[in-house]
Amino acid sequence: MKLLFPNEEHAPVALADGSMLVGSGAGCQLRLAVAGIADRHCELLTKAGQTRVRPLTETAATVLNGRQVLGEVVIKPGDLILFGKVGCRVVALERTPAVSEPKTVADDDSGHTRVRMAMPKYLLRGVSGPTFGKIYAMVGAMTVGRSAESDICIPIEEISRNHARLQSAADGIVVEDLASANGTFVNDQRVHASTLLNPGDEVRFDTVRFLLMSPAQEMQRNSPRTETAAAEKGSASPALWIVAAVVALAAIALGVLRFYGMI
């Protein structure tokens, strides 16, 4: 596993076997020289691939997934840790694939036609929370939850470990709530049984919202032509205001001339 710091307070840190001190002191292996970090803030203990975090002071908090850590606690991929006000995410180390010998043209041509991977029919785009801006291709059955094993992992405490299941269908996505604590909603209606989600609909897991789109809609949304049209539309607004102001001033002037009998 490794720690990623989204605000770049520190470079990514790999968690190898052994002890790692976190703090602002010069002797700390993970040094965070910012306000709110104690000299010896906490300790990360890694053994056989498992890491525990242990606070070393009561004056500066260590928070795991929204709860203050008071003793040794195991951390896992998907967790969010706060050292004082410095946040980081625990992620799994990417495995480097084995490098294979390049095949010659003769070896590559086995007589079979290569099947092109089909474009997914639907995309789920995060529009709030920790998945904001992320795109998920909807293929087959997918799970949503706080668990790192979920296909769509939402690592916040309000999301159940196994929150919901999404199943691709011919005319949309079937949404099924898995008895979550805070509910699953389609267009702000709570899901009590399987509900069909159509392109353009919104699905919400507690307060974390997603929008179902087709690949064509997503491409149109991000196309330069769409951005240019939006810019032209925005640039026309000041001209409309100027015309409206001129018309208003002309109306006032006309009223004043009529009041004095000049017209």
Side-chain angles (χ1 to χ4, degrees), residues 129-154:
T131 56
F132 176 79
K134 294 184 179 181
I135 304 293
Y136 300 88
M138 302 305 301
V139 179
M142 300 179 67
T143 57
V144 180
R146 191 176 74 245
S147 169
E149 287 75 29
S150 299
D151 297 302
I152 300 177
C153 178
I154 308 176

Side-chain angles (χ1 to χ4, degrees), residues 237-253:
S237 298
L240 292 176
W241 281 108
I242 293 172
V243 172
V246 171
V247 172
L249 289 173
I252 294 171

Side-chain angles (χ1 to χ4, degrees), residues 95-180:
R95 295 182 179 179
T96 304
V99 178
S100 58
E101 292 282 338
K103 294 182 179 180
T104 63
V105 175
D107 291 338
D108 190 58
D109 189 1
S110 59
H112 299 289
T113 301
R114 180 180 297 172
V115 178
R116 186 182 300 279
M117 184 177 293
M119 181 177 289
K121 192 174 182 180
Y122 302 107
L123 302 172
L124 204 61
R125 177 164 58 87
V127 293
S128 73
T131 56
F132 176 79
K134 294 184 179 181
I135 304 293
Y136 300 88
M138 302 305 301
V139 179
M142 300 179 67
T143 57
V144 180
R146 191 176 74 245
S147 169
E149 287 75 29
S150 299
D151 297 302
I152 300 177
C153 178
I154 308 176
I156 60 175
E157 286 195 335
E158 291 77 11
I159 301 297
S160 299
R161 290 187 63 81
N162 297 294
H163 198 102
R165 181 183 293 111
L166 306 175
Q167 175 68 56
S168 297
D171 51 353
I173 300 296
V174 177
V175 180
E176 179 187 358
D177 185 77
L178 299 178
S180 64

Side-chain angles (χ1 to χ4, degrees), residues 38-59:
D39 287 346
R40 291 167 55 88
H41 196 98
C42 66
E43 184 180 17
L44 298 172
L45 303 165
T46 303
K47 183 177 181 181
Q50 184 184 75
T51 300
R52 296 175 176 270
V53 58
R54 179 168 67 92
L56 298 178
T57 179
E58 296 180 356
T59 60

Side-chain angles (χ1 to χ4, degrees), residues 1 4 9 13 17 25 30 57 91 100 124-125 200 214 241 243:
M1 296 187 297
L4 295 181
E9 295 91 346
V13 178
D17 280 4
L30 175 47
T57 179
V91 299
S100 58
L124 204 61
R125 177 164 58 87
S214 67
W241 281 108
V243 172

